[in-house]
Amino acid sequence: MDFVLQLLFQGVGIGAVYALVALGFVLIFRATNVVNFAQGEFSMVAAYLMVVFAVDLGWPYWLSFLIALGGMAVLGAVFNLGVYYPLRHRTYLPVIISTIGASILLANSTLALYGPQPQVLQGWFDTPGFDVGGVFLDSQYLLIIGVTIALVIFNYWFFEHTLLGKKLQATSQDKEMASLLGISVSTMIMITFVYSALLGGLAGILVAPILFVSIQMGGTIALKAFAATIIGGFGDVAGAIIGGLALGIIETFGAAYVSVPYKDGFAFLVLVAFLVFRPQGIFGERVAEKA
Amino acid sequence: MSAQSTSSAAPARGNALALAAYVALALVAIFLAATLKFDGYILNILMQAATYTLAVFGLSVVLGLCGQINLAQAAFFGIGAYAVGLGTTDAHMPFWLCLGLGMLVSLIAGAALGASTLRLGGHYLAMVTISFQQILTLVMINAISFTHGPDGVRDIPRPQLFSGQQSYLAFCVAVLAVVGYLVWRLADTRLGRAMRAVRDNELAAGVAGIDVYRTKVTAFALCALLGGLGGGLFAGGFAYVSPDQFSFAESVVFLTMSLLGGVASPIGSAIGTGLLILIPEWLRFLKSVPGLYLAIYGLAVILIVAFMPDGIWGFVSKFFDRERPAPAPGAPLTLAPDDSGGANVLVTDKLSKHFGGLKAVDEVDIAVARGKVHALIGPNGSGKTTTLNVLSGLYSATSGSVSLDGRDITRLPAHKRTEAGLGRTFQNIRLFRTMTALENVVIGAERPGNKLIEGSSRAALEARAMAALDFVGLASRANELVTAFSYGHQRLIEIARALAANPTLLLLDEPAAGLNSTEKQSLHNLLERIAAFGLTILIIDHDMTLVSNAASHITVLNFGRRIADGESMAVLRHPDVVTAYLGAE
Amino acid sequence: MTFTRRQISAGLAAGIAMPAILRSAHAQGATIKVGMVLPVTGPAAEAGRYALTGAKIALDQVNKAGGVLGKQMEIVTEDDQTTNPGAVLAFSKLASQPDIVAFLGSIRSTQNHAMAQDILKTAKPVMFGGTDPKLTHMDNPWLFRCRPNDSYSGRVIAEFGIKTLGKKKWAIVHSTDAFGTAGGKALADALGASGATVALDQGYANQSQDFTPVVLAIKQSGADILGSYFTFENDLGIFARQLRQLGVTIPYVGSPSIVNVTAMKLAGPALYGTYGVADYAEDSSEGSKAFGKAYREVAKVAPDNQASWPFDAIHILAKAMNAAKTTDAKAVREAILAIKGHAGAEGEYNFDANGDGLHGYNIVKNEKGSIVFDKHIEFKS
């Protein structure tokens, strides 16, 4: 029983990480209909910012955290202006390629600026974790799970109960209608990019103490987060969270009971199964496009 | 794109000349590859460029022609490479057999993958291909007893005939030349046109009689096949394969190569591949700062995508592009609608379409008499367009039946209904936007079941398409891109496309919408001329003048139900109809 | 269309050839050049930096001592991007420069496999650090290994665990790449030969984010000692921390990466008290002490095996060329094979006919973050 509970905790923890990154995907996808292949690099850049300020310069953790998030907001804005905005009237393909280019650019300029050595970033808490009835609860994973829950609530409140959130909703549903209503579509898209860069950054800072800070850290998580996005049904915030958690749990139990080396494959097998048998995801996005 | 579309109308002599030049230049390239003394580094780069280009050709088919994304080309490339690697070293089979096997496995994998998800398309396809790629990579790494795992396969032999590095390179260049030619010509074959039509407008493609799903699966399978071919040759060229050469990152590289060079043409593929292999090599002098040259490479990708939307070749070829004069129209248009099925061409029986609880079409009976113009009218939201979409197969009926010329078509998909003789136009015009007027109409003429085209020879198709364009008065502009035409003219091209197919029944969805009064007048004249052929027409429109002048019979819908049906003038005076319209307006 | 393709081919050829031609015309014969393939970008970029520093220290020492055949020695590097195709291109680029007389290959076995064909064609000596035993047993006379191969590391881990620590029930954890699989197999074979039992033999894929299932499997197997072959430091760091968190405290003897500087930094206290086999251990010999001192002066951090083998490789090449009195590949090859008793940073080199220079490993212990030399275990064959 300890065994199963331990796996469950770990699965939920890693799943929450996927969910956080998946959230960023979903927001951008809803607003622009484009998958942002550089989403993982947002996480990586934020983690490096933390290392620079909190470790190298030795500034307080909370201050470094605020600076890192500020940096992510700027990055999100620049990303929108440089990568998405010039291509906004084109199909999704050039935009995808452009975000791929951006991901190569971000990863390698970080490498050029900071060098290749992986870094250690301390967690928020000094205690590594608690032992509850033979199950070890890692404090950082607990934090991640907590933040994920908080974000679900925040997103719900933000998109359903604030004017800005509703404007963002309207924009992602129908751009023409939104602009007829006097909503500035380009401002809304800008806000979306900034917000999802913040989310990506937050995810990066939160997982850094567990996975360490390295140039590659974003890419591997991002791919899993993609899968989570699909399982949850593209464009659905709650779906992305559930998809992420489901993926984490499937992976962890798959590794424990089926095969460790094929662990990464379970995510994609589940994904394919979903696409073939339930393409609308858990909560369902309408796939049909008709006259 | 435009380069090959204009070539379709090239006179045969020009084509022969171009072919001769192509063959000559290909021979020179092969000769140079075989005889020039390259050192190992350049040889490696050329070998990589030649084999990668083959895989990128595949992408120019699936992405360029058919508009579907494939993020697993490296996996198909890997299948080909491992087939040759494992087949020749472990199973001791001849190289050629292994190459063929690899291509076959790629083809089957591609077709299966495509068949499972191509109904969804777009991002879903992207995700499934990524998944396939990841799973294949894991198998290559972990199925050690079969694939040798991360060690890879080494000492892969080449075929005896081309055992030398240079002769093998020459062979690869020769394969490249042949495949490049085939891919180039593919765009102007029936299959190629179908792919381009699917890319430009899936809905219209289906209604033009193209089996959209099968076309997409075919494109995907062809792409995989070319990936397998490239990979097989790559394995022979480098003598060593390992899983990391066929990772997701490589698939992304293939895709970038394709988009960078120009997705729609094999020349673009070659340029993109060459550049993306070379750029990182050229930038190696920046190696003192780790990551700098790859950062610059990433930036270059962003800039090229932003400033050269059609890729480098698309950008360059614009300057060579000149429009060809339209061919002269020959014999005037003829129409020979099928007439085997009795007095009524179209009969619906209690036809219904529900969306959830909403009864958009509710037990509607329509009977369209042969050779007559029949109108379907009703206020906004009355279910007219839904009815039309159910008739043409874009929606499936909830209940009831539809029969065309005596044949039950209720369960047929859109393209099969077209084959059975249905033609239609759309309220919001749906043309194939990257093609010329002539090409658009040729696709119409190509309708399976069109008895007026014999043997579907290119000349016959073009002659019929020109006749249809001439009929609507646009023959002189046949070789212009459809986007160059005014709204009214685009509508005429759409009608010409439907007429070229020689339909049994023509459905016109609000043909007068958005036209000015002069255009409406000429539309009216056109309808009369079409009716004079004895073609049965079902028309939907708001324009009462047009409807009452043109149609001899009218069916009126309101809230999804039929409220009146009969001879035109009588129906228009029917009190329910008056109330419906006055109430609605 | 062909016109354009031919143009590309021609431009391509000229574009690549030009810098090479210029360079070789420029520097003909002024120095003795050694090519070095190393990762500057990609996941192993950090290791590449250690390797280059190690090689440069040796280069300085060689040149200060009079160089090779009266000329200065020079290192020409190419980035392999931490990929196999990258390594092939990098090597063939170096190999196309005729004035390069010998090469330093990769520390990664797969890359050496990938380059092997080109190495055979180039027919010049290549020193390398990959530890897959097969590399020196595939009829390629130009490969010379400057680290002990995995058949030794497996035997050393087994012997140390069984004889010194007295443990007989083993859990083996290894990555599923070439290095990890070969190592795991060597260890399992050595354990089998000594009559110990393998309670768990668990592979994992590189760049895993979570090792909980692996750690729990170790716990459940009831093993009383753990042996591991990890490729990447990140993975090892995550694994070690989870191992401790989930309460696994059995003795742990790891492959060389366990005492790698980066891994120790990442894992921190989680690796305290573990043992590692190390081809490079600073206190194991006079040669390694001297190298450690020299490296610290230049790089301000302690060296590891990523740096020590290129250091030895450069010295061995210089020694062999001076002994052969020529840079002719065949003569240099003979001279390398004739080297006996060379005191390098990694230990004492005695090349055998296969091209393996070292035949033993050091056992070191991680004492609260510093590496303490325990013993050296050497095999005659």
Side-chain angles (χ1 to χ4, degrees):
Chain A
M1 198 57 207
D2 291 358
F3 181 75
V4 174
L5 284 179
Q6 184 71 57
L7 287 175
L8 188 65
F9 174 75
Q10 209 64 34
V12 170
I14 197 87
V17 173
Y18 299 154
L20 277 183
V21 179
L23 259 185
F25 278 129
V26 167
L27 292 176
I28 290 189
F29 179 78
R30 287 208 318 180
T32 63
N33 254 325
V34 160
V35 172
N36 176 18
F37 275 75
Q39 189 70 26
E41 272 62 36
F42 285 168
S43 304
M44 182 271 299
V45 170
Y48 268 96
L49 286 175
M50 279 305 281
V51 169
V52 169
F53 291 103
V55 180
D56 296 351
L57 298 177
W59 293 4
Y61 208 86
W62 62 268
L63 181 63
S64 313
F65 178 71
L66 291 182
I67 294 175
L69 285 190
M72 291 321 292
V74 174
L75 180 64
V78 172
F79 190 90
N80 175 31
L81 292 179
V83 179
Y84 174 72
Y85 196 73
L87 306 175
R88 65 195 179 284
H89 297 306
R90 309 251 297 270
T91 63
Y92 71 99
L93 270 172
V95 189
I96 284 183
I97 298 300
S98 192
T99 62
I100 290 172
S103 112
I104 300 173
L105 174 64
L106 282 174
N108 286 286
S109 32
T110 310
L111 174 63
L113 289 172
Y114 202 85
Q117 54 279 72
Q119 299 294 324
V120 179
L121 180 69
Q122 291 309 317
W124 289 81
F125 306 112
D126 292 333
T127 9
F130 317 91
D131 200 311
V132 180
V135 177
F136 182 83
L137 305 179
D138 185 306
S139 58
Q140 190 69 23
Y141 271 127
L142 284 176
L143 177 67
I144 291 175
I145 295 169
V147 169
T148 307
I149 294 170
L151 272 176
V152 172
I153 297 168
F154 174 77
N155 274 322
Y156 175 75
W157 169 80
F158 178 68
F159 283 110
E160 301 296 332
H161 294 284
T162 66
L163 185 62
L164 181 59
K166 283 180 179 162
K167 280 186 182 173
L168 286 169
Q169 287 262 51
T171 311
S172 65
Q173 275 156 14
D174 189 337
K175 288 198 189 56
E176 275 175 42
M177 184 55 90
S179 64
L180 284 178
L181 292 174
I183 299 172
S184 164
V185 171
S186 56
T187 311
M188 293 303 121
I189 288 179
M190 177 61 106
I191 292 173
T192 307
F193 269 95
V194 170
Y195 185 45
S196 67
L198 284 175
L199 283 177
L202 185 62
I205 294 168
L206 285 171
V207 298
I210 297 171
L211 303 182
F212 307 118
V213 181
S214 67
I215 304 292
Q216 294 81 33
M217 67 181 284
T220 33
I221 308 175
L223 212 52
K224 300 285 182 59
F226 266 146
T229 316
I230 294 268
I231 294 175
F234 247 120
D236 189 291
V237 172
I241 304 274
I242 301 224
L245 293 177
L247 198 58
I249 294 170
I250 292 167
E251 235 182 52
T252 310
F253 280 88
Y257 290 103
V258 187
S259 155
V260 175
Y262 282 101
K263 190 182 92 177
D264 294 347
F266 299 130
F268 296 104
L269 275 182
V270 172
L271 175 55
V272 171
F274 257 100
L275 282 172
V276 173
F277 299 111
R278 195 177 156 77
Q280 64 274 48
I282 295 175
F283 290 120
E285 173 215 14
R286 274 173 47 79
V287 180
E289 173 254 359
K290 287 296 174 195
Chain B
M1 180 64 246
S2 37
Q4 72 227 21
S5 28
T6 40
S7 72
S8 69
R13 203 161 51 90
N15 272 351
L17 220 77
L19 179 60
Y22 183 91
V23 171
L25 286 165
L27 287 176
V28 171
I30 296 166
F31 177 74
L32 289 179
T35 53
L36 276 186
K37 281 281 159 264
F38 300 119
D39 63 37
Y41 175 57
I42 293 184
L43 211 55
N44 275 339
I45 283 204
L46 290 177
M47 194 84 84
Q48 194 181 356
T51 50
Y52 273 38
T53 304
L54 282 170
V56 180
F57 279 167
L59 287 178
S60 93
V61 173
V62 81
L63 188 63
L65 290 182
C66 204
Q68 308 299 310
I69 197 167
N70 172 6
L71 279 167
Q73 189 65 343
F76 297 120
F77 196 72
I79 291 177
Y82 267 82
V84 167
L86 295 172
T88 52
T89 59
D90 286 359
H92 305 289
M93 294 193 297
F95 180 90
W96 303 113
L97 180 62
C98 299
L99 187 65
L101 267 179
M103 290 166 69
L104 185 69
V105 175
S106 297
L107 181 79
I108 293 170
L113 204 61
S116 66
T117 39
L118 274 164
R119 287 193 197 282
L120 302 172
H123 288 89
Y124 293 91
L125 188 59
M127 290 305 143
V128 169
T129 50
I130 289 179
S131 306
F132 176 69
Q133 169 77 59
Q134 294 293 340
I135 292 169
L136 197 80
T137 301
L138 280 171
V139 170
M140 285 179 188
I141 292 176
N142 289 311
I144 295 173
S145 56
F146 176 56
T147 63
H148 299 248
D151 273 349
V153 187
R154 58 196 156 79
D155 299 329
I156 301 167
R158 299 203 184 101
Q160 227 148 38
L161 199 55
F162 305 106
S163 55
Q165 278 247 40
Q166 294 234 244
S167 61
Y168 188 77
L169 178 66
F171 166 66
C172 290
V173 173
V175 173
L176 193 66
V178 172
V179 175
Y181 179 78
L182 293 178
V183 172
W184 179 36
R185 296 312 302 168
L186 177 66
D188 278 327
T189 61
R190 181 183 195 123
L191 179 61
R193 265 193 299 275
M195 289 179 187
R196 286 153 62 202
V198 168
R199 174 195 63 194
D200 282 357
N201 199 316
E202 272 188 31
L203 228 51
V207 165
I210 293 167
D211 187 338
V212 173
Y213 178 62
R214 203 177 61 193
T215 306
K216 287 203 270 188
V217 174
T218 309
F220 208 81
L222 272 180
C223 172
L225 177 78
L226 291 180
L229 172 64
L233 293 177
F234 173 85
F238 280 83
Y240 175 81
V241 297
S242 64
D244 60 350
Q245 291 164 319
F246 314 111
S247 64
F248 174 59
E250 289 302 306
S251 280
V252 171
V253 168
F254 280 133
L255 192 69
T256 319
M257 286 170 169
S258 179
L259 279 145
L260 209 59
V263 67
S265 105
I267 313 177
S269 304
I271 294 177
T273 313
L275 268 185
L276 276 209
I277 290 176
L278 283 183
I279 291 177
E281 297 297 320
W282 275 331
L283 294 175
R284 268 174 186 273
F285 67 91
L286 296 170
K287 67 195 163 195
S288 55
V289 184
L292 185 58
Y293 74 74
L294 286 177
I296 293 178
Y297 159 64
L299 187 64
V301 170
I302 298 176
L303 292 178
I304 292 177
V305 170
F307 294 107
M308 297 178 183
D310 298 322
I312 295 168
W313 176 244
F315 182 76
V316 173
S317 64
K318 257 188 254 168
F319 299 104
F320 302 119
D321 233 17
R322 57 203 144 80
E323 199 173 292
R324 283 165 211 280
L333 182 71
T334 53
L335 288 176
D338 276 2
D339 55 358
S340 46
N344 287 331
V345 170
L346 180 83
V347 177
T348 72
D349 181 31
K350 293 199 167 36
L351 189 67
S352 298
K353 175 67 191 174
H354 301 175
F355 294 104
L358 174 73
K359 295 177 175 175
V361 178
D362 192 11
E363 301 197 338
V364 170
D365 295 335
I366 303 172
V368 180
R370 187 174 301 282
K372 293 289 190 311
V373 177
H374 189 122
L376 185 64
I377 65 169
N380 274 330
S382 60
K384 306 183 300 281
T385 297
T386 308
T387 307
L388 206 61
N389 284 339
V390 176
L391 290 180
S392 52
L394 299 182
Y395 294 158
S396 57
T398 310
S399 63
S401 70
V402 186
S403 66
L404 177 70
D405 210 19
R407 180 178 167 203
D408 186 354
I409 59 166
T410 320
R411 299 282 148 226
L412 294 185
H415 68 273
K416 285 284 175 196
R417 297 188 191 208
T418 310
E419 195 175 328
L422 204 69
R424 83 166 272 189
T425 66
F426 292 88
Q427 179 186 349
N428 44 351
I429 297 169
R430 289 180 175 272
L431 287 169
F432 307 119
R433 298 178 56 80
T434 62
M435 302 190 207
T436 63
L438 181 62
E439 284 175 308
N440 265 279
V441 182
V442 163
I443 288 175
E446 248 172 346
R447 171 178 81 90
N450 182 354
K451 295 203 181 78
L452 292 178
I453 294 291
E454 281 181 27
S456 74
S457 79
R458 170 180 208 88
L461 285 172
E462 282 193 3
R464 175 145 188 97
M466 281 311 296
L469 277 173
D470 194 32
F471 184 75
V472 299
L474 292 173
S476 62
R477 298 179 61 191
N479 271 334
E480 290 180 36
L481 283 179
V482 288
T483 42
F485 289 84
S486 70
Y487 190 79
H489 283 165
Q490 290 191 13
R491 177 141 275 156
L492 293 178
I493 295 171
E494 216 186 17
I495 294 175
R497 182 174 72 192
L499 288 178
N502 184 36
T504 310
L505 171 72
L506 180 60
L507 304 178
L508 297 173
D509 188 0
E510 303 205 16
L515 299 189
N516 62 34
S517 55
T518 341
E519 286 171 332
K520 276 184 187 165
Q521 187 52 47
S522 56
L523 177 70
H524 182 198
N525 295 341
L526 184 68
L527 290 182
E528 282 186 339
R529 285 166 56 216
I530 298 172
F533 278 110
L535 178 61
T536 317
I537 297 176
L538 177 62
I539 183 170
I540 285 187
D541 218 298
H542 280 303
D543 193 312
M544 281 304 156
T545 344
L546 183 78
V547 167
S548 52
N549 286 343
S552 57
H553 198 103
I554 295 181
T555 302
V556 187
L557 295 184
N558 198 17
F559 297 115
R561 295 196 70 96
R562 194 180 88 173
I563 57 169
D565 182 71
E567 184 272 323
S568 293
M569 291 333 278
V571 165
L572 289 178
R573 282 191 292 268
H574 193 287
D576 286 356
V577 175
V578 176
T579 330
Y581 269 87
L582 287 180
E585 246 112 28
Chain C
M1 137 139 218
T2 337
F3 179 64
T4 324
R5 181 179 309 143
R6 194 193 56 172
Q7 265 189 328
I8 290 174
S9 316
L12 183 145
I16 307 156
M18 200 51 87
I21 293 165
L22 285 176
R23 216 176 12 242
S24 60
H26 207 71
Q28 198 77 45
T31 53
I32 302 252
K33 286 187 184 164
V34 173
M36 180 172 184
V37 174
L38 80 173
V40 180
T41 55
E46 170 70 354
R49 218 152 65 162
Y50 275 82
L52 187 60
T53 312
K56 282 201 166 147
I57 293 171
L59 185 75
D60 266 6
Q61 294 175 351
V62 167
N63 284 337
K64 278 198 189 122
V68 173
L69 304 173
K71 290 178 183 174
Q72 294 284 291
M73 207 177 183
E74 185 188 340
I75 295 177
V76 186
T77 62
E78 280 302 336
D79 178 16
D80 64 25
Q81 302 166 13
T82 325
T83 66
N84 289 348
V88 171
L89 281 182
F91 180 79
S92 61
K93 178 157 195 195
L94 290 170
S96 66
Q97 303 175 37
D99 55 340
I100 292 183
V101 297
F103 305 87
L104 266 61
S106 173
I107 194 171
R108 285 160 54 102
S109 294
T110 47
Q111 292 189 328
N112 292 309
H113 277 302
M115 294 186 284
Q117 196 83 8
D118 279 321
I119 291 173
L120 198 58
K121 241 176 291 164
T122 309
K124 288 175 185 171
V126 176
M127 318 300 285
F128 70 93
T131 50
D132 179 0
K134 270 183 254 163
L135 282 164
T136 45
H137 294 81
M138 51 187 208
D139 296 325
N140 190 332
W142 302 107
L143 287 168
F144 302 92
R145 184 169 359 232
C146 293
R147 292 176 61 209
N149 73 42
D150 283 329
S151 66
Y152 300 110
S153 70
R155 285 162 70 183
V156 168
I157 293 177
E159 182 170 316
F160 181 75
I162 295 168
K163 292 200 178 138
T164 311
L165 300 176
K167 304 290 184 188
K168 293 223 156 183
K169 197 173 180 195
W170 287 70
I172 303 174
V173 175
H174 64 87
S175 66
T176 51
D177 62 8
F179 159 78
T181 4
K185 192 169 174 303
L187 176 55
D189 289 350
L191 289 173
S194 323
T197 53
V198 177
L200 175 77
D201 188 347
Q202 181 68 71
Y204 71 88
N206 282 330
Q207 312 289 355
S208 285
Q209 291 114 22
D210 177 41
F211 286 91
T212 309
V214 177
V215 173
L216 291 177
I218 295 171
K219 237 176 153 173
Q220 291 199 323
S221 71
D224 56 11
I225 184 166
L226 170 65
S228 80
Y229 280 84
F230 272 80
T231 308
F232 287 105
E233 295 88 0
N234 304 29
D235 289 333
L236 180 56
I238 298 171
F239 172 72
R241 286 223 299 232
Q242 293 190 325
L243 200 63
R244 297 312 179 214
Q245 287 178 351
L246 298 180
V248 178
T249 51
I250 55 175
Y252 181 2
V253 190
S255 68
S257 59
I258 200 172
V259 286
N260 160 302
V261 177
T262 312
M264 285 172 51
K265 183 179 83 181
L266 295 183
L271 281 177
Y272 290 0
T274 59
Y275 298 93
V277 295
D279 40 325
Y280 175 73
E282 194 161 350
D283 295 324
S284 63
S285 70
E286 287 311 311
S288 34
K289 274 183 196 152
F291 169 67
K293 186 161 169 286
Y295 193 91
R296 257 179 245 276
E297 274 169 20
V298 176
K300 315 289 176 226
V301 292
D304 61 15
N305 61 359
Q306 314 268 14
S308 57
W309 81 263
F311 172 86
D312 286 349
I314 294 287
H315 271 299
I316 289 168
L317 280 174
K319 193 170 181 175
M321 285 182 220
N322 279 331
K325 300 196 167 44
T326 169
T327 57
D328 172 71
K330 279 209 178 94
V332 175
R333 171 180 143 77
E334 294 305 320
I336 295 174
L337 290 179
I339 287 178
K340 303 282 177 220
H342 168 78
E346 293 250 336
E348 190 184 281
Y349 283 82
N350 293 293
F351 276 93
D352 61 24
N354 300 323
D356 271 312
L358 296 165
H359 306 89
Y361 266 100
N362 306 303
I363 291 282
V364 295
K365 189 174 187 191
N366 180 332
E367 293 274 12
K368 298 217 155 81
S370 55
I371 294 296
V372 179
F373 173 65
D374 192 293
K375 58 157 54 169
H376 180 85
I377 300 178
E378 179 84 15
F379 295 97
K380 281 287 161 272
S381 60

